[in-house]
Amino acid sequence: MSQSAIAIRGLEKTYAGGKRALKGIDLDIPRGSMFGLLGPNGAGKSTMINILAGLVNKTGGSADIWGFDIDAHPRNAKRSIGIVPQELVFDAFFTPFETLELQAGLFGVPKSERRTMELLEAVHLADKAHVYSRTLSGGMKRRLLVAKALIHNPPVLVLDEPTAGVDIELRQQLWDYVRTLHTGGTTVVLTTHYLEEAEALCDRIAIVNQGEIVANDFTSVLLSTAGDKKLIVTVDRDLAEVPAGLGDRAELKNGRILTLTYDKRTRNAGQVLAAVAAAGLGVIDVSTQEADLEDVFLELTRA
Ligand code: ADP
Ligand code: MG
């Protein structure tokens, strides 16, 4: 049995039309992590999630959830995971309360153990418990789906593009709640094509591109492996052009501000500043700029 929350081996999906959406994915999502699956639209994120949810049939490989193989032990696998789908699908003629009660029934949660109102309160929908779901805003529907995914108290919560259609304030509330769940021990997986979201929330990130995992590491490590760093130097006189000797990655702005991009794996700031001094320039001010996740992402998903 796997000690990972989710373990995926050689996962393949070729859709009926011939599109190979997943090309032999290997991925371990550690228990207790807040894990980001980051990738551009069409990368294969939802395909992977929908296979775990039992909504899409894989065409190869294997996956287990909380140690339960999705083929050999589908019921236990399903009980171990709650999934908030990318598409907002549910019955518009049920109230949020009824929606959750129905879902609890499907999972066989005994009446005495149901937490319907508690969950509605947690996602700030208690005052909407008895209105028709079709009258809810997009953000409220998303939060109702989060409550629905949690009804059977699964150890793993997966959110597929959770911020689509959710306004900024409610997004914050949603994140606060997700963080609380994570602190309480729930393993959280979220897919997103927003870098800032993954960078801000996730302790680990896997980057998916064209059906393949192209990076998988701690967020901090991914950030530090981005090679480029910038040194922004204000010099003591106006320049007409970038002085020779500063390399072809130097840019001049406003006559006095030089932006010097260098690969921190092969050079350091001291060497860059020495080159400025060697060009006969005095330095008035210096600041640095690290690569952010966007740089890593662009580097790795460049076609
Ligand atoms: P993501 O969630 O990362 O945006 P998807 O998993 O939705 O990516 O899609 C991956 C690829 O599979 C895309 O090229 C998409 O067009 C294709 N695809 C997704 N669902 C289907 C489907 N039901 N039938 C055929 N192709 C599909
Ligand atoms: Mg998707």
Side-chain angles (χ1 to χ4, degrees):
M1 266 201 356
S2 168
Q3 281 311 298
S4 301
I6 294 173
I8 291 172
R9 293 290 175 272
L11 195 65
E12 286 279 344
K13 177 61 187 181
T14 301
Y15 281 104
K19 171 75 196 178
R20 192 174 171 212
L22 298 179
K23 301 170 182 165
I25 298 273
D26 291 316
L27 182 65
D28 280 288
I29 297 181
R31 295 187 182 199
S33 59
M34 179 91 119
F35 197 98
L37 272 177
L38 178 67
N41 280 322
K45 305 180 297 295
S46 292
T47 299
M48 212 185 306
I49 300 308
N50 290 337
I51 289 170
L52 296 173
L55 298 171
V56 165
N57 290 323
K58 58 185 163 62
T59 49
S62 66
D64 67 43
I65 304 169
W66 219 250
F68 298 111
D69 185 277
I70 60 170
D71 294 327
H73 303 285
R75 280 176 63 86
N76 283 331
K78 270 199 180 136
R79 276 177 190 283
S80 304
I81 197 167
I83 292 182
V84 184
Q86 183 172 352
E87 307 300 332
L88 295 169
V89 281
F90 51 85
D91 197 317
F93 294 98
F94 287 121
T95 68
F97 187 87
E98 290 165 344
T99 301
L100 296 190
E101 282 291 308
L102 204 67
Q103 184 75 358
L106 285 177
F107 274 98
V109 181
K111 283 247 193 279
S112 61
E113 287 171 25
R114 291 193 188 170
R115 306 174 299 140
T116 302
M117 278 316 292
E118 187 190 318
L119 275 171
L120 286 173
E121 266 155 36
V123 297
H124 301 279
L125 283 177
D127 57 336
K128 303 281 180 189
H130 302 292
V131 306
Y132 285 131
S133 295
R134 68 183 142 85
T135 66
L136 302 178
S137 71
M140 291 174 182
K141 286 175 181 162
R142 180 80 52 193
R143 284 179 287 140
L144 175 56
L145 290 179
V146 173
K148 190 177 166 193
L150 291 168
I151 200 79
H152 56 296
N153 210 8
V156 186
L157 176 68
V158 180
L159 302 125
D160 194 2
E161 303 275 354
T163 44
V166 180
D167 65 53
I168 288 175
E169 190 190 336
L170 294 176
R171 189 178 298 186
Q172 209 53 55
Q173 286 179 7
L174 183 61
W175 290 146
D176 288 346
Y177 184 53
V178 167
R179 282 202 186 93
T180 306
L181 287 169
H182 177 243
T183 307
T186 304
T187 303
V188 178
V189 183
L190 64 98
T191 81
T192 182
H193 61 277
Y194 294 116
L195 302 154
E196 316 83 66
E197 196 161 279
E199 193 173 335
L201 285 167
C202 301
D203 49 30
R204 293 189 69 111
I205 292 175
I207 299 180
V208 191
N209 192 41
Q210 298 182 20
E212 294 176 297
I213 304 279
V214 293
N216 176 12
D217 218 319
F218 291 105
T219 308
S220 55
V221 173
L222 274 181
L223 289 173
S224 69
T225 54
D228 282 351
K229 197 165 171 171
K230 286 181 167 55
L231 207 61
I232 299 139
V233 180
T234 308
V235 295
D236 61 352
R237 79 202 65 154
D238 285 326
L239 302 170
E241 59 186 20
V242 174
L246 293 184
D248 54 7
R249 297 178 81 193
E251 285 168 45
L252 179 64
K253 231 174 48 186
N254 300 335
R256 287 188 174 215
I257 300 173
L258 286 165
T259 300
L260 305 156
T261 304
Y262 62 99
D263 187 330
K264 70 181 177 199
R265 292 167 295 198
T266 55
R267 294 193 91 187
N268 64 42
Q271 292 169 314
V272 177
L273 285 174
V276 174
L281 299 169
V283 174
I284 305 287
D285 193 27
V286 182
S287 65
T288 61
Q289 207 177 301
E290 287 279 353
D292 59 17
L293 196 55
E294 182 162 6
D295 299 317
V296 186
F297 185 70
L298 290 175
E299 215 169 285
L300 290 168
T301 59
R302 205 175 290 145

